[in-house]
Amino acid sequence: MEIYWYLTAPDGPQPWTASGSRQVNYAYFQQVAKAVDHLGFTGALLATGAHDPWILGASLIPHTERMKFLIAIQPGLISPTLLAKMAVTFNQFSKGRVLLNVVSGDKNTLGAYGLHLDHDARYDLSDEFLQVLRPLLAEQPVNFEGEHIHIDNARLALGNGGYPPPQLWFGGSSDAAQEVAAKHIDTYLSWGETPPQAAEKIAQVKARAEKHGRQLRFGIRLYVIVRETDELAWQAVDALYQTMDEKAIGARQTLEKGSDSVGQSRMSALHHNQKPADPRDLEIYPGLWAGIGLVRPGPGTAIVGSPETVERTLRAYQDAGVEVFILSGFPLLEEAYRFSELVMPRLKLNVETEQPDNSFTWGNLWDRPFGEKA
């Protein structure tokens, strides 16, 4: 099991409200990145958002030592050759710590950048983009001519510095998206679905990948609300729920209006754009709450409960075939510490470098003879 955190604005105790939003600047990103690096997370997702993920990630390399940077990229907004050059440079400078999350997007977000393609055409573009990108990342020359991309004699002047080429991650629920993943991707991501739904999708993508002679890893993006007991966790849900007013819900609905994202429609179906009186009515699976989807686009499901409950839910996903979890809570900084202290000791994590030494406690200090160094 690998656990990643999140490194993208907005943030705060309730970032869908003005009073609950936190200023997210470079100093704050440094704090969150250092926490991720120190606490033993495998890395963090730098998603599409207000800040450019490449500049953000590159600026944080010298402030971290072991965390991996999962950086969102969008085919069609940049040349695959230039993107490969950026990724290999990052890979060299970070000593092999960059991963690429391929985001095909939807017509709403991409239209603002001047890219106007229908749903399946975007995935055709992603297919061509990855046919160019993958060999370039592996330090191979490329000539390619497709419907959307024409590349002549592409070759990078630098290599990965002896580190493995950056792996490719990808999410998408439609048939077109699953086919692209099956052909090109190393890790396939889902959004906030229940373990049975995740198992069903994993089986579909596995079958597609087998036809191409490939094997994939599988991951999922979720929120987490963990407290010392189940009762305290649901009290925290109640506090969040009280801030989800009509204005916040309406803002999210406006943002999604006209979206052709299949994944987003699957998320919206979990809460039906309705806010019931009791937040527990949005518990869609034991310990899984769909309420965050009312006010946040994208993955809107949270694991809720005590450390034991959270571990049990993570294990249910693991039994369904999920190996990688991208988690977050509100606010990012405090909840990273909370999750690492309450849940991570219970998990057998696949971290490639040594875990930080958390053996020091104040009790250890008081147990030593006066003047003895820690």
Side-chain angles (χ1 to χ4, degrees):
M1 184 184 294
E2 294 182 9
I3 306 291
Y4 287 72
W5 201 242
Y6 196 63
L7 197 56
T8 304
D11 193 27
Q14 306 95 28
W16 47 87
T17 69
S19 60
S21 297
R22 175 173 290 176
Q23 183 182 16
V24 179
N25 54 23
Y26 184 46
Y28 184 68
F29 277 126
Q30 289 182 50
Q31 292 184 63
V32 179
K34 288 178 179 179
V36 170
D37 199 58
H38 165 69
L39 294 172
F41 293 93
T42 303
L45 170 63
L46 285 67
T48 56
H51 300 86
D52 178 78
W54 280 107
I55 294 175
L56 174 60
S59 71
L60 294 172
I61 291 174
H63 297 283
T64 56
E65 296 180 357
R66 46 160 302 279
M67 66 166 283
K68 295 183 178 180
F69 297 86
L70 177 56
I71 297 181
I73 64 173
Q74 293 185 282
L77 302 188
I78 189 172
S79 155
T81 308
L82 178 57
L83 190 282
K85 183 177 182 179
M86 294 163 61
V88 170
T89 303
F90 196 115
N91 209 29
Q92 273 197 13
F93 293 178
S94 67
K95 299 182 180 179
R97 293 192 285 135
V98 67
L99 307 163
L100 304 179
N101 185 34
V102 182
V103 179
S104 295
D106 70 358
K107 67 178 183 180
N108 289 351
T109 56
L110 294 179
Y113 291 93
L115 183 64
H116 300 278
L117 294 174
D118 65 27
H119 179 277
D120 287 359
R122 290 198 305 275
Y123 285 103
D124 290 339
L125 169 60
S126 295
D127 185 16
E128 293 184 8
F129 189 92
L130 293 169
Q131 290 182 61
V132 176
L133 178 63
R134 192 169 191 112
L136 286 174
L137 294 176
E139 304 174 23
Q140 301 170 5
V142 173
N143 285 281
F144 180 85
E145 184 171 358
E147 182 179 352
H148 303 282
I149 296 174
H150 185 181
I151 300 292
D152 289 328
N153 302 317
R155 181 192 297 269
L156 299 185
L158 71 164
N160 287 286
Y163 300 99
Q167 290 193 345
L168 300 175
W169 297 40
F170 183 90
S173 296
S174 66
D175 289 341
Q178 291 186 20
E179 186 62 20
V180 171
K183 291 170 64 176
H184 303 292
I185 298 304
D186 301 300
T187 300
Y188 176 84
L189 292 173
S190 291
W191 272 358
E193 296 162 320
T194 66
Q197 290 172 325
E200 181 181 4
K201 187 188 288 185
I202 287 170
Q204 293 171 354
V205 178
K206 273 187 175 180
R208 290 178 182 270
E210 288 172 358
K211 292 180 181 179
H212 296 283
R214 304 186 68 247
Q215 291 184 334
L216 282 63
R217 297 195 314 161
F218 294 90
I220 195 163
R221 168 79 178 98
L222 295 157
Y223 293 94
V224 61
I225 302 171
V226 59
R227 297 296 186 268
E228 287 77 3
T229 66
D230 288 336
E231 181 181 4
L232 289 174
W234 283 103
Q235 288 178 10
V237 167
D238 290 339
L240 287 176
Y241 202 61
Q242 292 175 15
T243 70
M244 297 179 181
D245 57 17
E246 292 183 3
K247 181 179 179 180
I249 295 172
R252 194 271 307 164
Q253 292 174 340
T254 299
L255 190 63
E256 292 177 14
K257 187 176 181 180
S259 173
D260 58 354
S261 167
V262 174
Q264 186 61 68
S265 66
R266 289 168 71 97
M267 287 293 95
S268 298
L270 297 178
H271 52 70
H272 304 291
N273 291 312
Q274 300 293 324
K275 184 186 177 184
D278 186 351
R280 292 296 291 263
D281 290 345
L282 294 178
E283 187 177 11
I284 57 174
Y285 182 88
L288 279 181
W289 185 62
I292 291 176
L294 289 170
V295 292
R296 294 288 292 138
T301 308
I303 304 175
V304 178
S306 65
E308 295 81 3
T309 297
V310 172
E311 181 192 7
R312 185 168 59 247
T313 306
L314 292 172
R315 299 296 184 194
Y317 279 110
Q318 195 174 37
D319 291 342
V322 175
E323 302 172 60
V324 180
F325 295 86
I326 302 174
L327 305 176
S328 66
F330 305 111
L332 290 171
L333 183 60
E334 290 90 327
E335 293 303 315
Y337 275 91
R338 193 191 303 271
F339 183 85
S340 73
E341 292 166 355
L342 295 180
V343 181
M344 287 175 71
R346 310 176 65 91
L347 306 175
K348 185 177 180 181
L349 298 180
N350 180 15
V351 179
E352 294 182 1
T353 54
E354 292 184 3
Q355 294 282 340
D357 182 3
N358 296 320
S359 58
F360 173 85
T361 65
W362 287 111
N364 290 343
L365 180 62
W366 306 138
D367 289 342
R368 296 189 185 93
F370 182 76
E372 182 179 332
K373 293 183 178 180

